Structures are given as C-alpha cells and as structure tokens.
Amino acid sequence: MTMTRDQIGSVRGYTIYQIGLHWVIALLVFAQLIFGESMTEAIEAAEEGESISALTGNLADMHYYFGIAILALVAVRLVLRLKNGAPPPPPQTSSAIEMAGKVSHWLFYALLIVVPVTGLLGYYYGDPYGEWHTYAKPVFIGLIALHVAASLYHQFWRKDGLLMRMLKPE
C-alpha cells in the first residue's frame, strides 16, 4: 500500500505501515522507559560480582532486545518516511508550529537511533556511553510529553484532524 496522494500530488496521510511502526515503536519505548532500570541494576551487580533476581535478569534481557528491535524498526520507518514523505501540516498552521513539529519529529528520529546505539556501546564498552544513554531518558520523557501535548492540542483545541492521521491510514 502506498501513501494516498490528492489530485495535485500532495501526500494526504500515512500508510498503515507507517502508522503500525509508529505505535509498535512507541510501545517498545514505553516499556524501555518503565523497565530500563533493570539493565542498570544487572550491570552494577555484575560489576560487583553480585547476583540478581530472575525477574531483573529477564527485564534486563528484554531491555537489550527491545533496544535492538527499536533500532531496526526505526531504520525501516526512516526508509518509509524518506520514500513516502509525510502529510503536510493542517491548514492555518503557523510557521512556528510547523517548524516545531518538524524539529521535534527529527529529534525523535535522532534519539531513536542514538539512544539504542549508546546503550549497546555502554553495555559492551561501559562509560561514557552508558552515561550518555542514561542522560537521554529525561530528554526522551520530555519530548514524549511535548509530543502528546501537541497531539492533544491539535485534537481538542484546534480540531484539525492531525491526530487522526496517526490512527487511520489514508
């Protein structure tokens, strides 16, 4: 399925694949933010020669593999984004809001690549990569909060249908 285009060739919406990748990646990131501390606990225990619970070990393994999955899925998502583009902003969107949307989306892509890469480097080579990986968490949380707030603003204040583009394929 290719992205739907209107009569003048502009992209109208996201494909089902882009929407699916968005939500799968969002769920994986959410799980990483909630259970990520288990990786820190497992690494610190290993450094001190201590044991960890089976649950902590399983959650640390999950964190590792979810990070790799995020990296792979983001690569696919970027290819689709570059191939298919993105729909234009809703009508009457100010240039400042349009620029904020573009910057925040490309910052998401950067974080979705840099954070798993620094996590892997931290896992295999230690600091400073592990520290950089850890510092990204509050940045990610802040960007997610901004993203959700902007989506809700568009849905309930501006009522411009922007949120529906990531819920219903065109």
Side-chain angles (χ1 to χ4, degrees), residues 3-19:
M3 186 164 294
T4 305
R5 296 183 183 270
D6 64 19
Q7 291 183 350
I8 59 171
S10 295
V11 174
R12 287 184 28 204
Y14 292 105
T15 67
I16 194 164
Y17 304 112
Q18 289 172 300
I19 293 170

Side-chain angles (χ1 to χ4, degrees), residues 73-95:
L73 292 172
V74 167
V76 173
R77 187 162 177 205
L78 267 172
V79 167
L80 289 175
R81 173 73 181 258
L82 294 172
K83 177 181 177 258
N84 295 326
Q92 289 96 31
T93 299
S94 73
S95 58

Side-chain angles (χ1 to χ4, degrees), residues 11-142:
V11 174
R12 287 184 28 204
Y14 292 105
T15 67
I16 194 164
Y17 304 112
Q18 289 172 300
I19 293 170
L21 283 168
H22 173 273
W23 291 109
V24 168
I25 292 167
L27 288 172
L28 289 171
V29 168
F30 186 67
Q32 295 293 71
L33 292 171
I34 292 173
F35 301 113
E37 298 304 317
S38 60
M39 180 60 83
T40 303
E41 189 178 329
I43 289 172
E44 288 174 356
E47 288 172 350
E48 296 179 19
E50 298 174 359
S51 62
I52 56 171
S53 70
L55 176 62
T56 299
N58 288 334
L59 291 174
D61 288 346
M62 181 187 81
H63 187 76
Y64 179 90
Y65 290 111
F66 278 16
I68 291 171
I70 289 169
L71 198 53
L73 292 172
V74 167
V76 173
R77 187 162 177 205
L78 267 172
V79 167
L80 289 175
R81 173 73 181 258
L82 294 172
K83 177 181 177 258
N84 295 326
Q92 289 96 31
T93 299
S94 73
S95 58
I97 289 177
E98 185 178 346
M99 180 58 71
K102 286 181 182 182
V103 168
S104 66
H105 280 94
W106 287 108
L107 184 54
F108 261 122
Y109 282 117
L111 283 172
L112 289 166
I113 293 167
V114 170
V115 173
V117 168
T118 57
L120 287 168
L121 290 170
Y123 182 79
Y124 289 108
Y125 300 108
D127 290 332
Y129 309 109
E131 286 182 18
W132 297 343
H133 182 75
T134 301
Y135 294 147
K137 185 175 182 176
V139 176
F140 235 131
I141 292 169

